[in-house]
């Protein structure tokens, strides 16, 4: 989670963080929409990934039409 959060902050990518341990309604919605409530789950449009892999995050962003910063 920390790596993903740091990536978003470093590249000034807007995001919404939902703590499903505090928000049971969102936890149920995530389970219905994505089939699980594993954290972190990163959702862009109708695509999602779980886990904190920056490579997976960059692929998700690219596949969703976003320009991905190069290191």
């Amino acid at each position: 989670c920390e790596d993903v959060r740091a990536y978003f902050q470093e590249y000034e990518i807007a995001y919404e963080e939902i703590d499903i341990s505090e928000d049971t309604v969102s936890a149920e919605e995530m389970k219905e929409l994505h089939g699980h409530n594993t954290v972190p789950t990163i959702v862009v449009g109708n695509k999602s990934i779980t886990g904190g892999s920056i490579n997976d995050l960059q692929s998700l962003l690219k596949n969703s039409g976003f320009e991905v910063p190069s290191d």
Side-chain angles (χ1 to χ4, degrees), residues 7-9 11-12 15 20 31 33-34 38 40 45 54 63:
Y7 182 89
F8 286 145
Q9 291 171 350
Y11 294 107
E12 299 179 353
Y15 67 97
I20 63 169
K31 190 167 187 168
L33 291 172
H34 306 288
T38 305
I54 297 304
N63 291 333

Side-chain angles (χ1 to χ4, degrees), residues 3-34:
D3 290 342
V4 171
R5 188 180 297 118
Y7 182 89
F8 286 145
Q9 291 171 350
E10 178 179 353
Y11 294 107
E12 299 179 353
I13 299 170
Y15 67 97
E16 178 183 5
E17 186 171 342
I18 300 170
D19 183 348
I20 63 169
S21 69
E22 302 274 329
D23 185 344
T24 57
V25 171
S26 291
E28 285 301 315
E29 287 176 358
M30 187 166 74
K31 190 167 187 168
E32 286 178 25
L33 291 172
H34 306 288

Side-chain angles (χ1 to χ4, degrees), residues 24-53:
T24 57
V25 171
S26 291
E28 285 301 315
E29 287 176 358
M30 187 166 74
K31 190 167 187 168
E32 286 178 25
L33 291 172
H34 306 288
H36 55 80
N37 54 7
T38 305
V39 293
T41 296
I42 298 105
V43 180
V44 178
N46 63 355
K47 300 174 184 160
S48 66
I49 59 167
T50 58
S53 165

